[in-house]
Amino acid sequence: MNLPRSLVVRLDSAGDVLLAGPAVRAVAAGSSHTTLLCGPLGVPAARLLPGVDQVLVYDAPWVGLEPGRTSREECGLLVDALSAGRFDRGVVLVSYHQSPLPTALLLALAGVERVAADCEEYPGSLLSLRHHRLPGRHEAEAALDLVRAFGFRPPPGDDGRLAVLPPPDTTRLTGPEPYVVLHPGAAVAARRWTAGRAARAAAALHTAGHRVVVTGSPAEKDLTAEVAGHHGLDLGGATADLHELAGVLAGARVVVTGNTGPMHLACAVGTPVVCLFAPVVPAERWRPHGVPHVLLGDHAAACAGSRARECPLPGHPCLDSVSDAEVLAAVAGLLGHRPVNGHPARLPDLSESDRGASV
């Protein structure tokens, strides 16, 4: 049987690309070649996904926090690159609030005859499979649903969790003693603690007996220095790339973070997560996937579902009102459910409270 040459498209951030991982593996299992087309922010994650043979990059003007304009020349270069790939099938992965049709049009111009996507708008001839996602479906599961409907099945033994290539040993950065990671940053301000609140959490974790490692990008070095203070090891800007950050997260007992790419990266290396989840986007779609986790935050706050980038309420109440006691209790609860032989344990079902939920 001649397997198809396949193209998977996910044009958003690194976290979105990580969430596409289970679907990418399913496509790769049924293809002779799999290319992932992603945006510039997604490239580091794309290079870590098992099953990807080639990464192409396109800075699409219809996605991102500050999208630029496009030109006939840029579109032409992309169409030429896709044409050269001789793809038999294309899968366009989008979030529930996005349209796949601009991408589908470019794929049609490149001669990709069979294209599938979740789509509520009328696609005309642009899609050979117009798929409708289940209400409230998690982004990772929705992507896997789509590729299954397109004829791709996960390889035998694939459990559908997030995954990346084996991360490096980062003991030279973290030291050998057990530690908890606190990742205070996020690309969207509404989805992270304020710096002072994160610093108080680092102090509380330290006082409770945890060794705290604070992670962040080079652009977040001032933030990580403030948060680490005298209570934590500051690794802001110290990890060379996303793969090395994966190593730090893999070595952690628990990761405390907001709804951001490193949260999904922690899931991909099997580390339990305490997630400060701002309700500006639905937790059911973006919560940690496939690992024991606890959500903290006021999920009934007035900003719920707004997709706000800056907190619209004084004092950032949905996250900054989370108490140190809640954080410490969440970490303590997860420490009893560390992975065994590389496979994350599952927490028992717990009832959801006003503050958070455990899974």
Side-chain angles (χ1 to χ4, degrees), residues 160-178:
R161 299 178 191 269
L162 307 190
V164 292
L165 298 175
D169 185 336
T170 53
T171 305
R172 64 178 181 78
L173 294 175
T174 64
E177 298 84 9

Side-chain angles (χ1 to χ4, degrees), residues 69-269:
R69 297 187 63 82
T70 190
S71 66
R72 178 181 297 183
E73 290 74 19
E74 287 180 359
C75 291
L77 289 172
L78 176 62
V79 169
D80 288 345
L82 295 177
S83 297
R86 299 178 287 107
F87 299 112
D88 305 297
R89 296 192 192 185
V91 177
V92 182
L93 300 178
V94 292
S95 297
Y96 72 99
H97 59 276
Q98 297 172 325
S99 171
L101 296 184
T103 303
L105 176 59
L106 293 174
L107 267 58
L109 294 174
V112 185
E113 294 187 358
R114 299 193 62 197
V115 177
D118 287 330
C119 186
E120 297 305 317
E121 306 95 339
Y122 173 63
S125 62
L126 295 179
L127 298 178
S128 54
L129 173 61
R130 177 194 185 191
H131 187 259
H132 299 280
R133 69 169 61 194
L134 296 173
R137 196 75 160 143
H138 192 281
E139 290 290 310
E141 294 166 348
L144 198 50
D145 290 344
L146 170 62
V147 300
R148 281 193 178 109
F150 204 34
F152 294 109
R153 296 288 182 269
D158 193 314
D159 58 11
R161 299 178 191 269
L162 307 190
V164 292
L165 298 175
D169 185 336
T170 53
T171 305
R172 64 178 181 78
L173 294 175
T174 64
E177 298 84 9
Y179 59 91
V180 169
V181 161
L182 175 57
H183 186 90
V188 175
R191 301 184 192 178
R192 62 177 180 252
W193 263 336
T194 57
R197 178 65 195 89
R200 292 195 300 275
L205 287 164
H206 171 77
T207 300
H210 301 289
R211 193 164 74 92
V212 181
V213 172
V214 182
T215 56
S217 69
E220 295 169 331
K221 290 178 69 173
D222 289 344
L223 171 63
T224 60
E226 179 177 350
V227 172
H230 300 295
H231 306 290
L233 173 64
D234 179 12
L235 290 187
T239 48
D241 53 25
L242 199 66
H243 202 203
E244 195 162 60
L245 177 59
V248 173
L249 299 178
R253 303 179 74 197
V254 174
V255 173
V256 181
T257 179
N259 173 22
T260 185
M263 180 265 280
H264 299 301
L265 187 60
C267 297
V269 296

